[in-house]
Amino acid sequence: GDLLTDSSKVHDRYHYFPWLGKCLRIAPSFVSRKVGLYLNSSSWYAQNYGDYLLHEAASLSLDKSIEAWGRPKFDEALARYRKLKERVEEECLEKTVFQCTSEGVAQPEKAESNCYDRDRGCGYPCIDRTVLESARTWD
């Protein structure tokens, strides 16, 4: 099945820490020069070779599945998915109740009816509604 979500952990939003009882701003991602060098080293590659191998095998399998299904059919489905995801982002972002407000005020109780579990699956009522409305106009 398809999976359509809205990210709950985006730079400049807030994340609720229950053990602190408050929200903290999510910092932008950052890789220092030293860490970047290590992540591009042969040592890192060797230690994670199995993961790289698994990734390559999954990628090849996906490519073969796409070709078996038909590239045009896949491209059409992917375009529809991307359009739907864009619509969900436009329609649902402001309606989604996260554990923290955009100002960083904790509201975990309010989020309970809008998230599957803590900050997972937030916005699902709006996402479900938007997908159902969109499906009515599909061929």
Side-chain angles (χ1 to χ4, degrees):
D2 298 330
L3 182 65
L4 195 59
T5 63
D6 179 34
S7 181
S8 62
K9 296 176 184 73
V10 177
H11 161 63
D12 253 5
R13 287 192 191 163
Y14 289 83
H15 180 71
Y16 178 67
F17 292 87
W19 60 91
L20 298 174
K22 65 181 182 176
C23 298
L24 299 175
R25 186 178 293 276
I26 298 172
S29 62
F30 169 75
V31 177
S32 70
R33 183 181 171 283
K34 192 172 184 176
V35 169
L37 288 171
Y38 177 67
L39 293 176
N40 288 304
S41 70
S42 58
S43 174
W44 172 262
Y45 184 80
Q47 290 174 343
N48 294 279
Y49 178 72
D51 292 337
Y52 287 107
L53 198 60
L54 179 61
H55 179 269
E56 183 62 24
S59 182
L60 289 171
S61 177
L62 180 59
D63 289 344
K64 286 183 178 186
S65 295
I66 290 169
E67 293 308 319
W69 194 37
R71 173 59 71 173
K73 193 174 177 182
F74 172 80
D75 288 342
E76 182 182 326
L78 181 58
R80 186 184 303 185
Y81 172 83
R82 286 179 174 159
K83 186 175 181 181
L84 183 57
K85 183 159 177 63
E86 186 177 303
R87 181 170 177 209
V88 162
E89 288 171 359
E90 289 170 4
E91 302 238 350
C92 298
L93 186 60
E94 295 302 317
K95 297 175 186 166
T96 299
V97 180
F98 294 101
Q99 289 185 315
C100 301
T101 67
S102 58
E103 295 81 27
V105 177
Q107 57 179 14
E109 297 81 16
K110 272 186 157 181
E112 283 180 10
S113 64
N114 200 56
C115 303
Y116 285 125
D117 178 45
R118 290 173 284 194
D119 67 344
R120 296 179 192 102
C122 294
Y124 77 87
C126 182
I127 293 170
D128 291 351
R129 191 171 43 258
T130 303
V131 168
L132 284 172
E133 288 169 4
S134 296
R136 291 186 189 113
T137 63
W138 293 344
D139 302 329

